[in-house]
Amino acid sequence: MSELLGKVEEPDDRSCRSDDSNGEIFKNVPKNSSMFRIWKIEGLRVTAVTGSNMGHFLSELAYIIYAVSPKDGPLPYPGMPVKELKSTTVVRVIHFWIGTACDSTISGAAALRAAELDSQVSATILSREAQGRESPRFLSYFRQRFVIENFHFETPSCRLHRVTGVAVPALTELEKVDWDHFSSRDVILIDILPKGIVFLWLGSSADPLHKRHAVSILETRKENNNGRVIIVDDGYEQTLPKSDRQLFANILDPSTRLVKPDRPYRVNVPSPVKLYRCSEQSGKYKVAELKSGPILRSDLTSESVYLIDRGEAGVWAWVGRNVNAREKLEAIRNARGFVKKKNYSNGVSVERALEGYEPTEMKALVRGWEPAKTRPLTLPSSFEPDYMYERPKIAAECQLVDDGSGERTLWRIVHKEGMIQVEDKGIYYAEACYVMCYKYGQGRRSRTIIYCWEGVHSINTDREASLEAACRLSEDTSAQLIKAYQGREPPHLLQIYDGKLKILAGRHRDSPPDKYLVRVFGSTPYTSKAVERPLRSSSLDSSGVFILFSNLPIVWCGGRSTGDARQASRRLAPRNAPLMIENNEDDDFWAELGGKGTYGTETVDDGEELEKHLYQCLTEGEMFVGEEVLGFGQNSLLPEAVWLLDAGNVIWVWIGKSTSKLLKECVHDAMIFLYTHPAGRDRNTTISVIKQGAIRCLFKYIKSYDKKNRYFTFFLGMEPSTFIGLFDNWNYNLLREYKSFETFCTLLQDKESFPKIQTLLKSSSNFDNYVKYPLSVLKGNPEHLPSGVDVVHKEMHLTFDNFIAIFKMEPEEFVKLPAWKRQRLKQSAGLF
């Protein structure tokens, strides 16, 4: 891999200090200074790793990483300066990493040495990492790339590396050069060292993010030694130029080609979360299941050790503050025993957290940490979009892009009737669904938001129709899409109605009933609304404010209601409505409610304080499997992926320009995230979907070797201020000169002719959208075919090369043939 990076990484003996004294290596490691250190375990010997070797791991060894940082500060990284931390909460993390080819002696030594270091520094997090299953925290330290290689006594003539990674590239050297390592989900670098040639093999179903990581690595290589790069598409190997095709065949025999659709453990699908309590009884350590999720903070007591189990997605050991030192030190070992007893795979991550020092990724698995602390901000009565554009932090906190005075159009959505434009009177009905188009700003800063609101008693067919309509409108207008639910209305939607939105029971009607009762919620224009309650005295609540709309309207204020709520009611109530305080009611008031009666207290959930989390937006089946990015920033939003930002009260989905995912698919993924969240998140949380960029610009690239001027199109980010404010130091020009995967491919080629050879020869039909299988699999018994095979169109599951070899024509030509002729050809090939 060192050659791929354009330089030779020889062991630097001057920067590597070994220590055989079995107790002195960690003697001078500080507890309260920010730092990042790595040691490798070779047999029983511990060797410090420094300099450029950090981030490079050998699969035959084990490593210990010690990282210290302030709790609310940036994550540690290799080469960071050592700085004493005073008067702040310190996060001390120990990881011990086990390579797949590491023997039990080395892995055992790593566990012992990690425990030794833990006993000295009292780590707040202790984590066992396995190659290929590294935790998000471990990966977050390496900001350029993370490389795993095999040990070689002699440099081989050819090496394979698989490219993965989310925020940064991860490269893993494969054991041998063989088709066994290839799957359609992979991106693989085939490095022919003596010739200085790298084949970049792209699986037909490979993640665009991995493709982008691969070409960025190859660009570095080309800048260093100008080696040659040849890009090969899965199933199109035989379309390479003759000399390249022969070279590729010498390395990987085409007659033995077997590319699997997927590989094991590519994605670690989490199991439903479960909680176990650990205890020692009669000298035996026992683990008892307490409950399935959601797990509450109150379920964890300071006197015990608990295991939070998510199956193949990992196990956390939570250690109460009153647990004795021995149990604390053995928590990881006991959790490993639990993993083995459950027959989970050997690489499942096991991590330990201490009470009071829980990391953000562990807290996300448990509910009820802290109640929400946010209080409404006092804002000007009216303000332009520029006010929030210039104050993105305020915009993000109150979720307002403007003062709500923009242009709006409202439709009621009925499955059988479609979109019905209605007069917007500021009244929604609980059995209806609505879509609103809201336009704000001027000139280059003009924007559109499409709101999709679902009443709590609306039917599923209307909900589906409203989402379809909202997605269609959003696509047509390049708008932000916001999916909202009754009871969780976004602040900006309430601001549009100046805090006067009324939500009434029943179906949509052109005018409200003559008499009805509503309860007032909130205090400011962007938090207040009125929701209908049954017209009876039992609906009242001493802590609330209610408005009785009738011929003689009345504002009723409970004895424990707040002044803010009473003030908010004045926006909603008719001007002639008198204020009536609890216990001062007259007979006419009770008569309007059907008589005097008793009433209780309605519970209002203020929610809890939630930290922000960024994930790659990925689902497998009906489970969310996106990997979290810790310590994220704006530069984590790579255009080749869709990203999900969990901001607590809003689930944001950011769609990169280089992805082809549809809006509706993104909304569905966000819903799966909420529905399958281990902490049992509110399914009615607002979902906001935005696309990267809106303004095109041209970038001129001058290549010295051919003196040709080339122009590429890029996009400037135009995300709303409510999203921008969730990031520190947003740079509006960050992606101005960002080069796409296709642009990189062009720049990596030595000749202009490459795209005509292969990439542009790829089928323009939907042929490449089918998962590919070997001919032998497709000719098998129909009952034993993989579940994803279209039995009517088996030929579409062939690789392009196999298709040409069997039918002597391209897929586009084949589909134009008469049906009888296609059937005869398929019959001859055994694919009918």
Side-chain angles (χ1 to χ4, degrees):
M1 191 60 228
S2 54
E3 288 78 2
L4 276 173
L5 301 179
K7 59 182 179 179
V8 177
E9 298 279 4
E10 296 293 345
D12 184 358
D13 292 329
R14 292 169 299 174
S15 66
C16 297
R17 180 177 60 83
S18 63
D19 192 311
D20 296 319
S21 54
N22 290 340
E24 301 297 318
I25 188 74
F26 304 131
K27 183 177 181 181
N28 297 318
V29 173
K31 287 179 61 175
N32 297 309
S33 295
S34 60
M35 64 178 304
F36 185 88
R37 290 191 183 177
I38 300 179
W39 297 270
K40 61 182 177 182
I41 313 295
E42 300 176 282
L44 299 178
R45 186 180 181 187
V46 182
T47 306
V49 179
T50 60
S52 61
N53 290 323
M54 286 188 174
H56 289 249
F57 293 75
L58 291 176
S59 60
E60 293 81 7
L61 302 182
Y63 294 78
I64 293 175
I65 292 90
Y66 178 52
V68 185
S69 60
K71 182 181 179 181
D72 298 319
L75 290 168
Y77 57 91
M80 69 181 293
V82 177
K83 181 181 178 181
E84 187 177 358
L85 301 174
K86 297 179 180 179
S87 305
T88 183
T89 304
V90 177
V91 177
R92 289 182 290 272
V93 188
I94 297 173
H95 305 264
F96 58 104
W97 181 92
I98 311 297
T100 53
C102 175
D103 64 35
S104 58
T105 301
I106 294 176
S107 61
L112 287 172
R113 287 309 188 107
E116 178 187 324
L117 178 59
D118 181 33
S119 65
Q120 179 175 315
V121 301
S122 297
T124 56
I125 305 171
L126 178 60
S127 178
R128 182 191 187 275
E129 310 278 353
Q131 178 179 331
R133 306 285 287 271
E134 293 83 5
S135 66
R137 182 172 291 271
F138 180 93
L139 294 171
S140 69
Y141 302 140
F142 307 102
R143 300 182 176 184
Q144 299 302 316
R145 59 180 60 92
F146 172 62
V147 181
I148 302 171
E149 297 186 299
N150 300 328
F151 177 77
H152 301 282
F153 288 103
E154 295 182 2
T155 303
S157 60
C158 182
R159 300 165 79 176
L160 296 188
H161 287 85
R162 179 180 290 127
V163 182
T164 55
V166 179
V168 296
L171 293 98
T172 305
E173 184 178 0
L174 304 175
E175 186 180 354
K176 58 182 178 178
V177 181
D178 195 283
W179 283 113
D180 284 346
H181 294 301
F182 287 70
S183 85
S184 294
R185 295 277 194 166
D186 287 331
V187 173
I188 292 179
L189 299 176
I190 306 163
D191 192 10
I192 306 172
L193 305 179
K195 294 182 178 291
I197 293 175
V198 176
F199 285 98
L200 170 55
W201 187 88
L202 304 172
S204 58
S205 304
D207 190 328
L209 199 56
H210 299 163
K211 295 181 183 181
R212 179 59 171 72
H213 286 332
V215 292
S216 64
I217 290 167
L218 291 173
E219 185 190 41
T220 304
R221 176 187 191 272
K222 198 171 182 69
E223 288 174 355
N224 282 283
N225 58 22
N226 204 33
R228 185 163 171 246
V229 176
I230 303 169
I231 301 178
V232 187
D233 285 302
D234 177 11
Y236 286 78
E237 292 85 0
Q238 299 305 309
T239 65
L240 287 169
K242 185 176 180 180
S243 58
D244 294 339
R245 184 168 69 246
Q246 185 59 50
L247 179 60
F248 189 86
N250 291 341
I251 302 161
L252 290 159
D253 184 354
S255 67
T256 62
R257 186 187 191 280
L258 179 61
V259 175
K260 298 178 286 293
D262 205 345
R263 55 185 164 84
Y265 300 114
R266 179 185 57 83
V267 173
N268 303 313
V269 178
S271 301
V273 66
K274 290 185 178 181
L275 180 67
Y276 296 81
R277 182 167 55 208
C278 307
S279 60
E280 194 169 344
Q281 299 175 10
S282 305
K284 291 185 177 181
Y285 202 76
K286 295 192 175 182
V287 177
E289 181 178 341
L290 293 184
K291 64 182 294 190
S292 297
I295 299 169
L296 307 178
R297 173 61 183 88
S298 56
D299 293 328
L300 310 175
T301 61
S302 299
E303 288 70 34
S304 299
V305 175
Y306 296 85
L307 299 182
I308 300 172
D309 175 26
R310 294 211 76 199
E312 290 293 330
V315 175
W316 276 93
W318 183 88
V319 181
R321 62 169 55 93
N322 296 334
V323 168
N324 63 54
R326 184 173 62 82
E327 274 193 279
K328 173 186 165 185
L329 288 172
E330 292 184 354
I332 282 283
R333 183 171 65 85
N334 291 326
R336 275 290 294 165
F338 171 84
V339 165
K340 292 177 180 177
K341 192 170 182 179
K342 285 283 189 178
N343 290 319
Y344 296 155
S345 58
N346 191 48
V348 168
S349 65
V350 175
E351 301 176 84
R352 184 201 71 190
L354 305 183
E355 182 179 2
Y357 297 91
E358 297 88 355
T360 177
E361 61 269 36
M362 182 259 161
K363 291 176 76 172
L365 304 176
V366 179
R367 284 176 66 174
W369 292 96
E370 299 176 43
K373 299 175 182 176
T374 55
R375 288 187 57 80
L377 300 175
T378 302
L379 299 171
S381 57
S382 65
F383 49 88
E384 296 296 321
D386 283 354
Y387 179 87
M388 287 302 181
Y389 182 82
E390 294 163 2
R391 299 166 177 81
K393 291 294 181 186
I394 295 177
E397 184 175 344
C398 58
Q399 284 296 298
L400 296 180
V401 292
D402 72 342
D403 63 359
S405 60
E407 176 189 339
R408 68 182 192 256
T409 306
L410 185 69
W411 295 271
R412 176 169 62 95
I413 311 299
V414 181
H415 173 61
K416 294 181 179 178
E417 302 173 44
M419 298 178 68
I420 306 166
Q421 188 169 341
V422 296
E423 183 183 353
D424 193 347
K425 298 180 179 179
I427 301 176
Y428 288 1
Y429 290 85
E431 291 185 20
C433 293
Y434 298 92
V435 169
M436 177 196 288
C437 177
Y438 180 83
K439 297 179 180 180
Y440 67 100
Q442 295 179 348
R444 290 181 58 185
R445 291 185 179 177
S446 62
R447 303 285 185 276
T448 304
I449 300 174
I450 303 298
Y451 281 102
C452 175
W453 183 91
E454 295 179 359
V456 69
H457 296 134
S458 59
I459 60 177
N460 283 335
T461 52
D462 286 353
R463 293 185 180 193
E464 291 169 5
S466 65
L467 181 57
E468 286 277 2
C471 289
R472 187 170 59 252
L473 271 176
S474 186
E475 292 281 8
D476 292 344
T477 58
S478 299
Q480 175 184 356
L481 172 65
I482 299 180
K483 183 175 172 60
Y485 302 85
Q486 181 179 337
R488 293 295 299 266
E489 287 77 19
H492 184 253
L493 182 63
L494 300 178
Q495 179 75 33
I496 289 172
Y497 293 100
D498 195 31
K500 301 174 184 177
L501 177 66
K502 288 186 280 190
I503 302 172
L504 305 185
R507 298 180 180 180
H508 179 87
R509 48 198 294 174
D510 293 332
S511 57
D514 294 333
K515 186 168 67 173
Y516 57 96
L517 179 71
V518 297
R519 176 169 181 168
V520 178
F521 292 91
S523 58
T524 65
Y526 67 91
T527 60
S528 60
K529 61 186 175 184
V531 182
E532 185 174 4
R533 293 290 184 259
L535 193 62
R536 53 177 179 260
S537 58
S538 59
S539 297
L540 301 177
D541 182 340
S542 296
S543 63
V545 174
F546 294 77
I547 304 173
L548 174 63
F549 286 89
S550 66
N551 292 331
L552 298 172
I554 296 172
V555 176
W556 183 89
C557 302
R560 290 185 284 112
S561 62
T562 64
D564 287 343
R566 296 179 187 183
Q567 185 63 33
S569 71
R570 304 312 300 172
R571 283 192 293 270
L572 285 148
R575 291 185 177 181
N576 63 336
L579 205 67
M580 182 176 290
I581 305 300
E582 185 178 12
N583 296 325
N584 292 323
E585 302 89 353
D586 56 26
D587 292 340
D588 290 340
F589 173 77
W590 293 120
E592 291 279 6
L593 297 182
K596 188 174 182 179
T598 58
Y599 46 86
T601 299
E602 182 179 343
T603 303
V604 179
D605 183 11
D606 292 327
E608 64 175 300
E609 197 74 16
L610 297 173
E611 298 177 81
K612 298 193 296 283
H613 298 266
L614 180 70
Y615 305 85
Q616 185 181 5
C617 189
L618 284 178
T619 56
E620 289 279 330
E622 292 299 306
M623 286 297 295
F624 186 85
V625 296
E627 185 175 307
E628 183 174 3
V629 178
L630 290 187
F632 68 87
Q634 181 192 358
N635 60 352
S636 302
L637 301 175
L638 298 176
E640 286 76 19
V642 178
W643 302 93
L644 186 147
L645 176 58
D646 179 4
N649 57 347
V650 181
I651 304 299
W652 288 91
V653 180
W654 186 91
I655 305 175
K657 276 289 179 186
S658 299
T659 63
S660 57
K661 209 161 194 177
L662 299 175
L663 279 175
K664 190 174 180 182
E665 293 174 329
C666 293
V667 172
H668 181 68
D669 287 351
M671 292 170 67
I672 289 177
F673 173 80
L674 289 169
Y675 291 1
T676 62
H677 197 283
R681 293 287 296 279
D682 184 346
R683 295 185 173 193
N684 293 334
T685 301
T686 299
I687 296 170
S688 181
V689 185
I690 56 176
K691 287 188 175 183
Q692 175 204 344
I695 295 180
R696 295 175 183 267
C697 66
L698 286 178
F699 172 70
K700 182 177 179 181
Y701 184 88
I702 303 176
K703 195 73 175 175
S704 59
Y705 66 78
D706 59 7
K707 308 299 183 185
K708 296 270 183 82
N709 293 344
R710 303 178 186 178
Y711 291 84
F712 304 105
T713 301
F714 298 95
F715 295 85
L716 299 180
M718 299 297 288
E719 291 77 3
S721 54
T722 44
F723 180 76
I724 289 170
L726 299 170
F727 295 80
D728 293 328
N729 304 315
W730 184 272
N731 179 359
Y732 292 91
N733 298 319
L734 181 67
L735 296 175
R736 175 175 289 180
E737 298 179 4
Y738 188 88
K739 295 192 284 290
S740 67
F741 169 74
E742 289 76 15
T743 300
F744 261 124
C745 287
T746 302
L747 299 178
L748 285 170
Q749 302 308 306
D750 291 331
K751 297 180 180 180
E752 292 272 0
S753 60
F754 168 74
K756 299 175 187 176
I757 295 171
Q758 196 172 33
T759 304
L760 296 185
L761 275 180
K762 292 186 73 172
S763 174
S764 60
S765 69
N766 62 349
F767 175 78
D768 289 312
N769 296 331
Y770 284 78
V771 178
K772 305 305 177 187
Y773 294 94
L775 178 62
S776 58
V777 172
L778 297 172
K779 291 174 71 172
N781 189 320
E783 295 180 0
H784 300 145
L785 287 173
S787 58
V789 171
D790 183 345
V791 293
V792 179
H793 300 103
K794 290 182 186 178
E795 73 281 3
M796 302 299 276
H797 293 281
L798 292 167
T799 66
F800 182 83
D801 291 340
N802 282 345
F803 197 101
I804 295 291
I806 294 168
F807 297 112
K808 313 302 181 188
M809 66 183 76
E810 294 192 9
E812 287 87 347
E813 299 174 74
F814 183 84
V815 296
K816 294 176 183 177
L817 295 174
W820 66 267
K821 194 166 187 177
R822 291 199 305 269
Q823 290 180 7
R824 183 176 293 178
L825 289 170
K826 288 162 62 175
Q827 219 163 10
S828 300
L831 294 171
F832 185 70

